[in-house]
Amino acid sequence: MGIVKISDELHDEIREASTVMSRSINSQAEFWIKIGRLAERNPTLTFTEIITAEMTRVKSQQTKGN
């Protein structure tokens, strides 16, 4: 685990979003980082398509684990 320095403004935005989404500040930041990484790797996909693809991937992994 590492420390990432971010601006106070971004930290405030993360705090607000984490409250709305019922996540911890760290979980909200991790979610945004992950979605951003996936969006950069898949620039033609929409947010909804990225979420759907991740849900499919997780379900597939869970099926293989059972």
Side-chain angles (χ1 to χ4, degrees):
M1 178 166 79
I3 296 174
V4 177
K5 293 185 179 187
I6 59 172
S7 69
D8 290 340
E9 180 181 335
L10 181 56
H11 190 270
D12 290 343
E13 289 179 31
I14 294 169
R15 181 184 296 115
E16 290 171 5
S18 71
T19 300
V20 171
M21 300 304 292
S22 298
R23 295 182 177 127
S24 69
I25 292 173
N26 285 345
S27 292
Q28 184 65 43
E30 185 176 341
F31 176 76
W32 280 358
I33 290 167
K34 182 176 182 179
I35 294 302
R37 183 184 64 217
L38 289 168
E40 284 186 345
R41 291 179 180 173
N42 302 280
T44 61
L45 298 181
T46 65
F47 173 78
T48 302
E49 291 168 332
I50 288 171
I51 296 298
T52 300
E54 283 299 290
M55 295 284 289
T56 301
R57 183 185 64 78
V58 168
K59 285 180 184 178
S60 174
Q61 287 178 342
Q62 289 175 343
T63 301
K64 290 178 183 176
N66 292 332

